[in-house]
Amino acid sequence: MISMKDALSLFRKKDDSNMTSTDGFLKCGKARAGRTPKEMLHLLTAVFVWLVTGTTISSLNKWIFAVYNFRYPLLLSSLHMLTAVIIDYGLIKLRFVKQRGSDCDLSANAKFKIFMLSLTFCASIAFGNIGLNYVQLSFAQMIYTTTPLFTLAISTLVLGKQHHILKYTAMMPICLGASFSIMGEVQFHPKGCFFVCAATMLRGVKSIQQSILLQEEKINSVFLLYLMAIPSFCILFIAALALENWTVLEAPIKYDSRLWVFILLSCLGSVLYNLASFCVLTLTSAVTLHILGNLNVVGNLLLSQFLFGSELSALSCAGVVLTLSGIVLYQNTDYIAEYLDSRKTPSEPEKDSKTE
């Protein structure tokens, strides 16, 4: 078995200049000044689509599991990947996507990276969907807000990336707010908590793997999703056949027709969500992606309360506020550091003049 550290080490470049791929705001701060209006529009559009589809898919999946009692999360995840293969194959064949070379031109190392990404991707979405069978959507979303911490920790411990102390300080209110939401959550299930936490950790690993393939290997977003979706579909479908209870599955015609409409919408939304996330990763980084993802928290909490009748305690609301405040602090750590440095710098000449 290959350990997580060994797997991520294979993604690591010998050149230290590539290590900025996990430090979103450092990279964004340097690129912001030279970014054209067209690139900014591309980035804002990708972020908007990613946020909207992320919120929509979470609600659709929970609706499918809770309202229609469709207890096949692995099958649903495999259908997501099959839809990605079909749509991306069509886009590639119709030449809507410009990709230098083909999968035959990829090195063996790049193909191995894609396969490892597929394994991480399958585990993260499968664990997330399984967790939604046991816990409220609001609970899962609050656990997911700690993904930036996992990403930051992985980039430090495994990839050797050094971050400013303010970034670690900003993680304190983010994690504390998430813990408040857990304590204030009305429905808590230990098995669901385990699956959601495992999915959160794997999301951090997955985003680092994706950013390296997109930014360093220069693989197009659609092409990467297509290559990743093929083994992902096989893995998830085999897992569904082996692990899920098929004895209670009825014939498709016996299910409400609206269920299949929701499943189709979920599959189409997952393709948009993955493509948008790849675009955001290409233009920013892994940590930035998950910091932006925490903006989904408020929308998902409201949707969970509206659609599924989830009760939000005062402690949960306090956790949301504390988590979001940590996000704001993290987002502005570079500016705060620059301000503190500027306050220290002028004082040194003044001290030297006084000694003279």
Side-chain angles (χ1 to χ4, degrees), residues 81-183:
M81 292 297 97
L82 178 61
T83 306
V85 172
I86 295 173
I87 293 178
D88 290 344
Y89 179 80
L91 292 175
I92 293 171
K93 285 300 180 182
L94 294 175
R95 301 188 183 277
F96 282 106
V97 179
K98 295 181 180 179
Q99 169 67 24
R100 291 176 295 181
S102 63
D103 58 338
C104 296
D105 299 323
L106 293 175
S107 64
N109 186 40
K111 292 180 179 179
F112 178 75
K113 291 178 181 179
I114 294 174
F115 179 72
M116 293 301 298
L117 173 60
S118 299
L119 293 178
T120 309
F121 188 86
C122 290
S124 66
I125 60 177
F127 280 15
N129 281 340
I130 292 173
L132 285 176
N133 274 320
Y134 299 99
V135 299
Q136 292 285 347
L137 179 60
S138 57
F139 177 89
Q141 290 298 326
M142 289 308 303
I143 294 293
Y144 291 155
T145 61
T146 62
T147 306
L149 174 61
F150 283 98
T151 308
L152 201 68
I154 291 168
S155 66
T156 301
L157 299 175
V158 180
L159 300 180
K161 174 64 184 174
Q162 298 299 319
H163 302 278
H164 196 280
I165 187 63
L166 287 175
K167 294 186 182 292
Y168 296 100
T169 304
M171 289 298 164
M172 295 176 63
I174 293 178
C175 297
L176 189 60
S179 65
F180 279 2
S181 69
I182 294 172
M183 290 184 290

Side-chain angles (χ1 to χ4, degrees), residues 74 78 232-244 246:
L74 293 176
S78 67
S232 297
F233 166 72
C234 298
I235 294 170
L236 289 169
F237 188 71
I238 293 174
L241 292 176
L243 301 176
E244 294 183 332
W246 294 93

Side-chain angles (χ1 to χ4, degrees), residues 249-271:
L249 181 67
E250 299 180 357
I253 58 174
K254 293 185 178 181
Y255 284 97
D256 191 333
S257 59
R258 287 174 294 183
L259 169 63
W260 302 112
V261 174
F262 288 135
I263 291 177
L264 177 61
L265 291 175
S266 178
C267 292
L268 295 176
S270 70
V271 177

